[in-house]
Amino acid sequence: MCGIIGYTGTEDVKEVLLNALELLEYRGYDSAGIAVKEDAQTKIYKCAGRVKDLRLICESEKFLSGCGIGHTRWATHGGVTGTNAHPHRVGNVTLVHNGIIENYRELAAHYELEEQLKSETDSEVVAALLNRYYEGQPNETIKEVVTKLKGTYALVILFDDQPGVIYSVRNVSPIVATICDEGAMLASDLTALCRFTNRYFVVPENYILKLEKTKLTLTDFAGREVEPEFLTVDWELNSAGKNGYPFYMEKEIMEQPDAITRTIESRITGGLPDFSAEGIPDSLFTDCERITIVACGTAMHAGLVAQALVKSILHMHIEVEMASEFMYSDPVIDKKTLVIAVSQSGETIDTLEALKYAKRRGAKCLSIINVKGSSIARESDYVLYTDAGPEIAVASTKAYTTQLAVFYLLVAKMAFSRGIFGTEDTQSFVRELQRTPDAIKKVLEKRREIHVLAGRVLDAKDLFMIGRGLDHSILLEGSLKLKEVSYIHSEAYASGELKHGPIALITQNTPVVAAVTQEKLMAKEISNIKEVKSRGADVVVFIKGAIAESLQGEYPSFVLPDMRDEYMVMPASVALQLLAYYVSSDKGFDVDKPRNLAKVVTVE
Ligand code: F6R
């Protein structure tokens, strides 16, 4: 988690660092800090709180040098205090760290570092150890120290006697870097760099990166220089901005029609799904006997929709596994299993570990990822990138619908290559996918109606969401969205399960959000709505246009544009995202940075 920036160049270093930290704040936002090198002096400013608080602390500071490092923290070891905030400085060494050093206590005791430590963090122990070994040879010292570390780390280091120079080394936790007209820079992810350039490279594990104003050098532990492998990202240079929206979440919800179009159109040839650009052979889809999807949170919910499609269209055995539970659940995985990892960031440690485990068991691994070159993408046999652009709001929106879009293409491709769909069936299925951006636009145009409905649940403490089949899958996601941004306790139930217990929770005025988008399930879903209504629930319904009349105007409702049943997920999910968004913004919360959360979860 944690956001990291390092910059050495010709721009105003304070502004570069603070602006980058604002963009990286979504990775963790309980404290923030920067260190700027001025000749042989290193000045540190840090505090518990947000980057805006840090800005106030260094408002009047002017720096002559153009070299510094910065950090936004998501606390793991040690509480949220100014002392525990990064950067940490011991002797001649200043550093920021992302990850967890598992043996920090043993190291502190073994090397008798305790007296030098001011914070409760694992990170400061690394600074102390580097300082202990430093004798003017940065690369040698870094190599010596990291061989003693157990755990995950992205370290960015300043040595007092190395003006204008930044060092970095990493294991698991990501670091990307670049060089451009304004200088050399590195960060924990691309969002902080894409304001400057579209070219970057992922720092390989166990290599030492040295940044100077006009030069960057990558060296392996044997001291050999290697050429970085630059990638190009097609994100626009200002795509990580808010574009006039009050929150990234709203901006990202509004971007979904374009994001889906970008994700699918380059992968359709003659009306059929085409993954030749990704080099994916048809045999990947014809040789497998079972599918396992591994993912976390919202990405896992995208997997649940895919599961329903795979069952109903491909009639294949499929499981969706919480990545964090996967390895410990004795999963049935073999050479005939196609494992699909889904992740926006491509860095979620649980998903990464699940994928590595599946590979060890001989499975073929395909991943659906938003961030190019990320760790999960690099571990996978094949990658299908979603083209959502940077997703900054902690609550995932456009990543989810673009993941769904890729799944629809995948299912169509599998159905075609396994002979389940003929050409016409496949083309008609794909044509419907191509209609989803317009259907979503219709929801966005009517978003004020959802804002009004949000008023009905604004003061709720507990809320229930009910639906069957695919409706249940999307309500699980709608419920997660509402929970995380509005702090309302929300549970999604398969409505047929209600009578087996949960209906005991329905009392006078309990808010219930129902989804009715599946024509074949409509009659049963409506009777379940009546059951909760007759126990006093205040029901709000999201219903497909073609069947909206069946409600006879009895419930406040939002009418969704018509699509084939299996595609109703798309407009309905966007409507539920808007519901969560309006509840959160009307309550005056910081929608983009819900408490306790971080965008990228790189600790298990
Ligand atoms: C919820 C949310 C999280 C992520 C989850 C996985 O809105 O964003 O549940 O979906 O942490 O993250 P990625 O997709 O980066 O692996």
Side-chain angles (χ1 to χ4, degrees), residues 1-261:
M1 341 247 304
C2 301
I4 284 183
I5 177 75
Y7 171 75
T8 179
T10 51
E11 302 275 291
D12 176 347
V13 64
K14 183 176 83 177
E15 282 312 305
V16 173
L17 296 180
L18 292 175
N19 291 342
L21 289 184
E22 267 156 13
L23 291 170
L24 291 169
E25 216 175 9
Y26 72 134
R27 296 181 69 98
Y29 33 86
D30 52 45
S31 26
I34 58 170
V36 177
K37 267 193 78 58
E38 292 276 69
D39 299 323
Q41 232 197 336
T42 304
K43 294 185 174 170
I44 297 181
Y45 307 82
K46 58 181 186 172
C47 61
R50 298 282 172 93
V51 178
K52 63 177 170 17
D53 305 309
L54 177 65
R55 240 184 217 288
L56 290 177
I57 294 175
C58 43
E59 205 171 20
S60 56
E61 296 296 333
K62 295 249 178 307
F63 301 106
L64 298 174
S65 94
C67 177
I69 60 180
H71 188 269
T72 59
R73 181 168 185 247
W74 189 85
T76 56
H77 292 64
V80 179
T81 63
T83 312
N84 288 337
H86 298 217
H88 290 288
R89 178 174 173 76
V90 179
N92 296 317
V93 175
T94 307
L95 64 68
V96 294
H97 165 224
N98 175 25
I100 291 182
I101 307 299
E102 288 160 10
N103 59 338
Y104 76 108
R105 281 186 204 282
E106 293 89 314
L107 290 173
H110 184 78
Y111 293 95
E112 296 175 359
L113 303 169
E114 279 110 337
E115 293 222 328
Q116 302 170 49
L117 305 176
K118 296 183 214 80
S119 76
E120 306 155 284
T121 66
D122 50 339
S123 316
E124 196 186 13
V125 174
V126 185
L129 210 50
L130 285 163
N131 182 56
R132 167 72 52 89
Y133 279 93
Y134 189 59
E135 286 177 354
Q137 305 282 342
N139 281 28
E140 294 311 311
T141 312
I142 291 170
K143 197 174 80 181
E144 176 91 46
V145 167
V146 298
T147 49
K148 302 183 192 316
L149 305 181
K150 286 199 186 118
T152 58
Y153 48 83
L155 296 166
V156 178
I157 310 156
L158 300 174
F159 294 95
D160 274 2
D161 63 346
Q162 306 280 324
V165 186
I166 299 171
Y167 289 88
S168 180
V169 65
R170 76 176 194 95
N171 176 43
V172 183
S173 307
I175 286 281
V176 292
T178 193
I179 186 153
C180 57
D181 291 347
E182 291 86 352
M185 56 196 93
L186 58 78
S188 42
D189 71 59
L190 263 182
T191 41
L193 307 187
C194 61
R195 192 166 71 81
F196 291 96
T197 172
N198 283 348
R199 283 182 77 240
Y200 71 100
F201 65 94
V202 180
V203 177
E205 287 176 358
N206 299 320
Y207 280 72
I208 298 171
L209 175 67
K210 178 180 180 188
L211 297 187
E212 295 164 274
K213 274 191 174 55
T214 55
K215 191 177 163 197
L216 50 81
T217 320
L218 193 59
T219 322
D220 68 14
F221 279 3
R224 286 181 295 251
E225 263 188 44
V226 290
E227 276 305 308
E229 284 177 30
F230 275 91
L231 301 167
T232 306
V233 68
D234 34 22
W235 295 355
E236 287 170 30
L237 291 188
N238 64 357
S239 56
K242 278 191 206 155
N243 258 358
Y245 288 98
F247 291 103
Y248 282 108
M249 185 176 176
E250 185 177 358
K251 175 195 169 225
E252 290 163 5
I253 289 174
M254 299 301 286
E255 283 173 347
Q256 290 177 103
D258 289 344
I260 293 168
T261 304

Side-chain angles (χ1 to χ4, degrees), residues 535-553:
R535 282 155 183 86
D538 183 9
V539 187
V540 169
V541 187
F542 288 78
I543 189 161
K544 176 172 177 172
I547 49 180
E549 271 191 7
S550 51
L551 291 182
Q552 296 169 327

Side-chain angles (χ1 to χ4, degrees), residues 278-523:
E278 283 88 2
I280 303 180
D282 276 7
S283 57
L284 187 73
F285 306 123
T286 49
D287 291 357
C288 62
E289 284 171 4
R290 65 170 82 230
I291 299 174
T292 298
I293 296 175
V294 287
C296 299
T298 292
M300 186 192 66
H301 290 156
L304 290 177
V305 172
Q307 181 182 41
L309 298 175
V310 166
K311 280 192 197 161
S312 68
I313 297 172
L314 303 174
H315 313 296
M316 276 181 78
H317 185 90
I318 174 164
E319 278 167 354
V320 180
E321 302 266 4
M322 273 180 243
S324 55
E325 294 288 319
F326 180 65
M327 284 197 276
Y328 314 106
S329 64
D330 299 320
V332 183
I333 300 283
D334 57 23
K335 289 193 182 72
K336 292 283 178 190
T337 314
L338 171 61
V339 169
I340 306 179
V342 192
S343 174
Q344 186 285 128
S345 60
E347 299 295 347
T348 301
I349 191 96
D350 289 322
T351 311
L352 178 62
E353 292 302 326
L355 186 81
K356 287 181 181 167
Y357 177 91
K359 274 181 81 177
R360 287 198 295 275
R361 299 280 287 266
K364 283 271 175 306
C365 297
L366 166 70
S367 61
I368 300 175
I369 305 286
N370 195 39
V371 178
K372 270 196 185 164
S374 51
S375 305
I376 299 175
R378 291 198 311 277
E379 277 295 325
S380 306
D381 297 315
Y382 303 100
V383 186
L384 287 167
Y385 284 108
T386 49
D387 214 337
E391 190 181 66
I392 311 285
V394 165
S396 185
T397 54
K398 59 178 180 170
Y400 172 73
T401 46
T402 51
Q403 284 158 0
L404 291 179
V406 171
F407 270 127
Y408 283 105
L409 281 178
L410 259 179
V411 169
K413 178 77 181 170
M414 287 188 81
F416 186 60
S417 42
R418 292 171 82 96
I420 296 166
F421 276 177
T423 305
E424 271 178 29
D425 292 337
T426 314
Q427 286 171 331
S428 128
F429 191 80
V430 169
R431 256 197 314 278
E432 191 69 351
L433 176 60
Q434 291 173 297
R435 286 188 56 228
T436 56
D438 279 340
I440 291 174
K441 275 185 199 154
K442 286 189 184 132
V443 173
L444 298 176
E445 279 158 16
K446 294 201 298 174
R447 62 189 183 282
R448 279 200 182 76
E449 290 179 32
I450 300 176
H451 200 165
V452 173
L453 291 180
R456 301 186 77 93
V457 302
L458 209 59
D459 298 321
K461 276 211 162 46
D462 301 292
L463 177 148
F464 300 94
M465 297 202 179
I466 60 171
R468 288 169 176 251
L470 276 175
D471 285 338
H472 178 231
S473 309
I474 55 171
L475 290 170
L476 285 168
E477 171 56 14
S479 179
L480 171 65
K481 215 87 303 173
L482 189 70
K483 254 183 251 197
E484 67 181 324
V485 297
S486 76
Y487 314 136
I488 293 174
H489 167 231
S490 164
E491 297 284 347
Y493 286 110
S495 33
E497 251 320 273
L498 277 180
K499 289 189 278 292
H500 303 285
I503 203 163
L505 296 167
I506 305 290
T507 55
Q508 202 58 35
N509 298 328
T510 305
V512 173
V513 173
V516 185
T517 74
Q518 304 295 302
E519 295 195 29
K520 67 172 192 266
L521 298 173
M522 169 186 101

